[in-house]
Amino acid sequence: MPETPSANLFDLIAARRPRSDQLALETSDATRLTYGALFARSAQAANALVALGVEPGDRVAAQVDKSADMIVLALACLRTGAALLPLNTAYTLAELEHFLGDAQPALTVCRPDGLDDIRRLAQKLGLPAVESLGVAGDGTFAERIAASPAEFATVARAPDDLAAILYTSGTTGRSKGAMLTHENLSSNALTLVDAWRFTAADRLIHALPVFHTHGLFVAVNVALLSGATMIFQNRFDPGAVIHTLPEATSLMGVPTFYTRLLEHAGLTREVCRRMRLFVCGSAPLLAETHAAWRERTGFSILERYGMTETNMITSNPYDGERRAGTVGFALPGVSVRISEAETGAPVPSGEIGVIEVKGPNVFRGYWRMPEKTAQEFRPDGYFITGDLGQVDADGYIHIVGRAKDLVISGGFNVYPKEVESEIDSIEGVLESAVIGVPHADFGEGVTAVVVPRPGVILTEAAILSALTGRLAKFKAPKRVFVVESLPRNAMGKVQKATLRETYKDTFR
Ligand code: AMP
């Protein structure tokens, strides 16, 4: 019988045969790793994992700062057949206790200055091994890497074997561990390489965190599968990005990257002269930002849509119109449909419903939560994203918000995005968020939280009067709060749950 080829994502990356002297990664502290060096260091790290007792199928948790060695660790996990469990660097010890207790990792890797605390926590939870990894090639795990041989036979994996567990941001209740397989990650990254035309000539500015699907899987896997070079910046700094733009070809970012870059006088057509692609996702990009970017740089931002559980689902086209305010079309090999949230029945064409998705990109379920997993899938295998969307006459998909953010006022559905768009078009408004909060008569009262442009003074009365006649009465906000900024998480998503909590007593 012929041997089944391994579906290990690392084997797939190696099989693309990047030139060994080609630069894979450079960091702001001048670390430069060629593909040859990256592969060799990942072999050393894989040997270090095995020496620490990590076996295929085990979990390796990592709460470390962004660095070249974090990527080395991620590749080493693939090579040993372990599942990487990256953790948001902002999580506190109390939060870590939940994640580590739930995932029971065979190894936990933390920042050097957290080693004592995490060792104590691991002891309490009965976890076997804890190591540290710093940003400058330091830490106990880095020492083990350096002391290990640079040859390692990558463990063969089946398509369905786990490659990673990513905890969802969990805005409602406990966050859940999304189980992602080698096939999930490789099928999606290969699709994106083609869809976005990545090649070894690309130099990608990577300023995203590496504990989230966007920075870890979209950016890193697409770059490595195309033999491209990543320019790592440990945190997003508009000045640093602008400084690097002249030597880069591509950028992947969240909407706040683009709005903050637009505020910087250094953003010009000239600095973008070698660029070919700006990708945006993880939160909605305002049509106005899309237009301003085009005006300033000559480029149309390519907006795409995805989530931790599904990898990327849709993308605007590389060729053809990138339509502002939309997330484009289903990616090749990915099936998308719009259904009635309650029943799962198809909605008439053009109407709003919940977005459902099926394909090799969709995760295998939530770690140790079979009931929760079952609730999120339809009987025919479609995953219910919880995002509300509609398809326009040309087939472009529009996202109108999360199902749980839908406001129901007096029995009528109010889609926050529609109200936000009207508010955002008022002179002097920078951005807004619309939420529903408890209201004795209406069930929920539409409430708007509005951020003025710098130097502009806005009042509730002025906003309400500007909205008169532009929205059906039931959609119009009953109260407007003017604030300096909206609460956002690390990926730039507006935290509507926080806003609902802040304004919960508005109508009481
Ligand atoms: P996460 O799992 O943290 O990546 O969050 C996924 C969620 O982010 C999706 O379910 C959407 O609600 C939102 N999202 C991602 N990309 C977009 C986009 N381009 N436009 C609007 N929302 C988006």
Side-chain angles (χ1 to χ4, degrees), residues 179-197:
M179 298 191 288
L180 296 156
T181 66
H182 284 262
E183 183 188 28
N184 291 155
L185 301 184
S186 37
S187 69
N188 205 241
L190 284 174
T191 300
L192 296 177
V193 168
D194 284 349
W196 298 342
R197 311 270 169 87

Side-chain angles (χ1 to χ4, degrees), residues 176-246:
K176 309 174 283 285
M179 298 191 288
L180 296 156
T181 66
H182 284 262
E183 183 188 28
N184 291 155
L185 301 184
S186 37
S187 69
N188 205 241
L190 284 174
T191 300
L192 296 177
V193 168
D194 284 349
W196 298 342
R197 311 270 169 87
F198 269 83
T199 69
D202 271 298
R203 290 174 56 79
L204 172 70
I205 300 180
H206 189 308
L208 292 159
V210 287
F211 50 73
H212 183 267
T213 184
H214 194 169
L216 188 58
F217 298 140
V218 182
V220 172
N221 291 345
V222 164
L224 295 182
L225 280 168
S226 44
T229 301
M230 286 181 277
I231 308 171
F232 256 39
Q233 301 189 340
N234 288 2
R235 55 183 197 87
F236 172 69
D237 168 1
V241 169
I242 285 173
H243 181 74
T244 312
L245 274 172

Side-chain angles (χ1 to χ4, degrees), residues 309-328:
E309 290 92 329
T310 60
N311 296 287
M312 298 305 104
I313 304 171
T314 72
S315 172
N316 268 280
Y318 191 86
D319 297 318
E321 185 196 353
R322 298 178 192 164
R323 193 167 285 186
T326 85
V327 294

Side-chain angles (χ1 to χ4, degrees), residues 268-292:
T268 59
R269 283 181 188 235
E270 176 56 18
V271 293
C272 299
R273 61 189 176 271
R274 268 189 75 188
M275 289 294 291
R276 64 169 190 91
L277 183 62
F278 292 94
V279 178
C280 184
S282 291
L285 179 75
L286 292 179
E288 181 197 306
T289 311
H290 189 281

Side-chain angles (χ1 to χ4, degrees), residues 212-213 282-284 303-308 327 387 399 402 493:
H212 183 267
T213 184
S282 291
E303 185 172 2
R304 97 297 179 278
Y305 154 65
M307 62 195 299
T308 303
V327 294
D387 290 312
I399 295 182
R402 296 285 297 165
K493 284 189 227 296

